[in-house]
Amino acid sequence: AVALGKAAWHAGMAYDDAMDTIAISTGATGDELAALGEDFSAVFTSIPIDAETASGVISELNRTLGVSGDTLVDIARPLAEASRMMGTDATASAQGFAQAMNAWKVDAADAPATLDALFVATQKSGVGFDELLTNLSTFGPALQTMGFSLTESTALLAELEKAGMPATNAMTALQFAAKTFTKDGVPLQERARVTPEAAL
């Protein structure tokens, strides 16, 4: 009985701490905070992660993408689970994903499907998930200027890393080429289209 009482006390403290984290990070109060508490519980009780990790992921995604409810849970759950299996920082992955989505102006409703596509790209290419997210955010503006879509850019960056060519080096060359094309009056978007099937 004493052991169960201590476990319940620690669980209650963990939940309170998690809700404090969510409230401070998102600025949510009242009904909005209560709803995020339900999202937290849906993630925390479905996969073996600690409350701090779950609250961090929930807070980051809500704060940067503005998502909540089923959409938030559908993103947070696989992100937290993947990070657990890979031994990476789930909150950092959530931040990287949100930054990439914002850089590419992905609608919140499309974020879960986009996350699935990114996971597939990392599995097929072997490139790290967080590394891919960083590259998509860093080189997103240049790739969009060249006319690449998010799907094409994901395939291109993943394939470059798979081939052993650092994305930074490749993008430096592409950006130089883009400047040359612009100087010579060559439209940047007149190029062969890259497809995920061809690249991966």
Side-chain angles (χ1 to χ4, degrees), residues 16-198:
D16 288 343
D17 288 344
M19 292 307 298
D20 287 344
T21 295
I22 294 172
I24 293 171
S25 298
T26 65
T29 59
D31 291 342
E32 183 182 4
L33 180 59
L36 288 175
E38 294 178 3
D39 297 338
F40 161 78
S41 296
V43 174
F44 179 57
T45 59
S46 62
I47 52 178
I49 57 173
D50 57 62
E52 182 180 0
T53 297
S55 62
V57 172
I58 290 292
S59 299
E60 189 62 38
L61 293 174
N62 175 261
R63 183 178 66 82
T64 53
L65 291 181
V67 292
S68 59
D70 291 342
T71 300
L72 173 54
V73 173
D74 287 346
I75 302 171
R77 185 181 285 138
L79 262 177
E81 176 66 2
S83 295
R84 182 188 69 83
M85 293 188 294
M86 293 185 293
T88 58
D89 186 330
T91 302
S93 293
Q95 183 181 49
F97 177 72
Q99 289 174 343
M101 295 305 92
N102 287 332
W104 286 88
K105 298 179 176 58
V106 176
D107 188 87
D110 297 326
T114 302
L115 178 62
D116 289 342
L118 293 175
F119 278 142
V120 170
T122 61
Q123 290 166 357
K124 288 186 175 181
S125 66
V127 64
F129 180 67
D130 289 344
E131 181 180 2
L132 179 59
L133 292 176
T134 297
N135 288 336
L136 283 171
S137 296
T138 301
F139 303 120
L143 288 165
Q144 290 175 70
T145 298
M146 295 178 209
F148 285 91
S149 68
L150 175 57
T151 299
E152 293 171 334
S153 298
T154 299
L156 174 63
L157 292 171
E159 183 63 14
L160 287 171
E161 294 290 347
K162 181 180 178 181
M165 179 181 293
T168 300
N169 295 348
M171 286 304 304
T172 298
L174 283 173
Q175 288 173 308
F176 177 79
K179 289 181 181 179
T180 302
F181 291 160
T182 300
K183 180 180 178 181
D184 294 342
V186 179
L188 292 177
Q189 297 186 21
E190 288 187 6
R191 55 177 176 75
R193 303 296 292 179
V194 177
T195 66
E197 294 76 12

